[in-house]
Structures are given as structure tokens and as C-alpha cells.
């Protein structure tokens, strides 16, 4: 089989750079959605820090 599937981790790693900008420029309302969602995530999580969220400061 010539067309092997990409491993899941590689799939996301290969698309990580540019994802946020792509969403903001190609999905109508994405900027409001990110702001809305960021305000509702618990910031006390051991796994999530506020600076990890692109729109959390807005």
C-alpha cells in the first residue's frame, strides 16, 4: 500500500504552526468564539495555563 496514514501525533504536530491564524481568517466568528471559550476555561488546571490560550487575555 503506497498511501500510508499519518500517525495522529504527527498529523497535529505538522499543522500546529499556522492553525490559529487559519481559524481566524477562514472561520466566520472564530475570534468571538475563542474569546468566549477562553473566558470559560478553568485557569486553575495543572495542565492549562492562561498564557497557553491565544485569546485568553482579551
Amino acid at each position: 500500500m503506497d498511501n500510508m496514514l499519518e500517525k495522529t501525533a504527527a498529523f497535529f504536530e505538522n499543522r500546529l504552526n499556522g492553525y490559529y491564524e487559519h481559524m481566524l481568517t477562514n472561520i466566520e466568528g472564530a475570534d468571538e468564539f475563542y474569546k468566549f471559550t477562553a473566558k470559560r476555561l478553568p485557569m486553575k488546571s495543572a495542565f492549562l495555563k492562561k498564557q497557553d490560550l491565544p485569546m485568553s487575555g482579551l
Side-chain angles (χ1 to χ4, degrees):
M1 178 185 246
D2 290 340
N3 296 333
M4 297 299 295
L5 291 176
E6 210 172 351
K7 298 240 183 227
T8 302
F11 175 87
F12 288 104
E13 287 173 10
N14 291 333
R15 291 158 180 81
L16 184 59
N17 292 333
Y19 172 80
Y20 180 63
E21 185 177 339
H22 164 79
M23 295 302 286
L24 287 179
T25 57
N26 292 288
I27 308 295
E28 185 178 339
D31 53 341
E32 291 90 11
F33 172 77
Y34 277 117
K35 292 174 193 175
F36 176 85
T37 303
K39 289 178 182 177
R40 281 146 184 83
L41 293 174
M43 291 300 135
K44 294 181 181 181
S45 170
F47 303 105
L48 180 67
K49 294 180 177 59
K50 190 171 185 174
Q51 64 269 18
D52 295 333
L53 301 172
M55 298 296 285
S56 61
L58 301 177

